[in-house]
Amino acid sequence: MGRVVIVGGGVIGCAIAERLSRERRHQVLLLERDSVGAHASGAAAGLLTPHGEASPTASNLASRSLAMFPETVARVERFGLAVEYLAQESVTPALTAEEERRLRRGPGRWLDAEQVRAEEPGLSPRVRGATIAPAAQVTPIRLVRALARAAVAQGAEIREGSPVGGLTVRSGCVQGVQTAEGHVKADAVVLAAGPWSPALASPLGVALDVRPSRGQLVTLRPRARVLRRMLTWRGSYLAPKPDGTVVAGSTEEDAGFDARPTAVGVASLLEFAIRAVPALETATVERAWAALRPATSGERPVIGAAPGLPNLVIATGHNRSGILLAPITGELVAEGLP
């Protein structure tokens, strides 16, 4: 039984730990510098919309991963933590003739203006029509913790507050990782440290096209229910939650490693929310926050063995789709490990 060390305790690292520990073919150790889900994974909105959050180049992976969620949720919830999974639909409105032409050709069920207003009366009167597509949502931090709990129950070890300072290599193979407690040996290492992954890969001669992308979100509490479905539009979204709030997101900003929300970012989200659903003008703002996501120039995650280091597996670059792509990433990493 070989030891696999996973660096990073976000949703990707925890999904990989759960997947590998389920087979009991590996001895799995996950190292997280803070606590599981402490960064982007725990700060996400939790949308599972394969034609909204995922980039077009990742839509196939996204659809496959969405189909895996019911079984994944049922499996991890057996260990006692509900992830608040809700299968529902998303609505994507068309505000221009070009948007209408594009949406009519794309996936989903098209509704004309009268039909969509009957389905979603809170939408702006400017809406020319909309597509309805299958989607779902979860509470992200609950999903991360449930994956971690399931992994531990299946034999994995998770060490929180355990930052990794570097990886050690000898004769073209990764030997392990350096921690504050000393060297940890590994037969294989999975690098799932989000936008911090390049800093660990670069000293090994592995260049990762991954950068931090700041995403800001706002929680609104309307006076009454304003949406029946999640709304996606041009990379922005409104996600109605079971407690009556609506999460508006999200920005994509090149702000380095600054994870603080800004006035202009919050203002842009509020403007979008009110344009899409005018009744949100009177909603109260409950919370504004931001997180750093791992983005790539090709808008596709990096999953697979590092060039020249067959026992170093990279799993990062999921950007806005980390929650959605977690199950399929766990499968792909498991398939690629020796």
Side-chain angles (χ1 to χ4, degrees):
M1 180 181 290
R3 170 182 267 190
V4 178
V5 174
I6 301 167
V7 182
V11 70
I12 298 301
C14 289
I16 294 167
E18 191 278 329
R19 174 63 181 83
L20 296 181
S21 61
R22 199 184 335 143
E23 287 186 345
R24 301 185 186 271
R25 188 165 60 92
H26 304 282
Q27 181 187 5
V28 178
L29 169 63
L30 185 148
L31 302 174
E32 163 56 40
R33 70 176 189 182
D34 297 309
S35 57
V36 295
H39 297 283
S41 297
L47 275 71
L48 307 176
T49 52
H51 305 295
E53 279 289 270
S55 67
T57 55
S59 60
N60 180 50
L61 278 180
S63 296
R64 290 167 59 192
S65 202
L66 178 63
M68 296 171 65
F69 259 89
E71 191 272 336
T72 299
V73 168
R75 187 175 64 251
V76 301
E77 286 189 337
R78 290 189 292 109
F79 298 99
L81 182 60
V83 304
E84 297 178 344
Y85 172 79
L86 177 63
Q88 53 185 163
E89 294 178 318
S90 66
V91 56
T92 303
L95 300 181
T96 66
E98 173 55 33
E99 286 181 346
E100 179 177 345
R101 284 192 293 271
R102 179 174 55 81
L103 289 175
R104 281 180 177 272
R105 294 193 300 266
R109 173 170 54 97
W110 172 260
L111 301 179
D112 62 26
E114 183 177 350
Q115 291 171 321
V116 76
R117 269 188 269 281
E119 292 278 339
E120 294 287 355
L123 292 181
S124 166
R126 297 175 53 211
V127 170
R128 303 167 60 97
T131 54
I132 306 294
Q137 62 173 298
V138 295
T139 298
I141 191 60
R142 283 181 163 269
L143 175 64
V144 179
R145 290 172 179 166
L147 287 164
R149 180 181 292 192
V152 170
Q154 294 165 172
E157 179 185 357
I158 294 179
R159 296 182 192 171
E160 297 178 297
S162 185
V164 170
L167 282 64
T168 56
V169 174
R170 183 181 302 164
S171 302
C173 286
V174 175
Q175 301 294 307
V177 301
Q178 292 289 349
T179 72
E181 290 75 32
H183 184 259
V184 177
K185 292 183 179 180
D187 296 293
V189 172
V190 179
L191 187 53
W196 294 274
S197 298
L200 292 170
S202 179
L204 310 182
V206 177
L208 293 181
D209 175 25
V210 177
R211 68 185 187 282
S213 175
R214 183 171 64 192
Q216 301 188 46
L217 301 94
V218 176
T219 295
L220 303 172
R221 185 171 292 279
R223 294 178 177 177
R225 187 182 185 188
V226 294
L227 276 174
R228 299 172 183 170
R229 300 170 175 84
M230 296 177 286
L231 182 149
T232 62
W233 183 76
R234 292 187 181 181
S236 299
Y237 57 78
L238 296 173
K241 294 297 182 176
D243 65 357
T245 61
V246 176
V247 175
S250 120
T251 65
E252 284 195 86
E253 306 165 73
D254 185 3
F257 285 91
D258 186 347
R260 297 172 296 178
T262 64
V264 68
V266 171
S268 69
L269 294 174
L270 296 178
E271 180 184 7
F272 154 69
I274 294 168
R275 282 184 62 203
V277 180
L280 287 174
E281 184 176 31
T282 59
T284 56
V285 177
E286 290 203 343
R287 181 189 176 205
W289 72 101
L292 301 176
R293 307 177 180 120
T296 64
S297 58
E299 298 187 355
R300 187 177 178 88
V302 181
I303 306 171
L309 293 169
N311 66 333
L312 173 61
V313 178
I314 310 297
T316 187
H318 297 73
N319 199 1
R320 296 159 61 102
S321 302
I323 302 295
L324 173 59
L325 295 176
I328 192 67
T329 301
E331 289 296 326
L332 293 174
V333 169
E335 291 171 5
L337 279 175

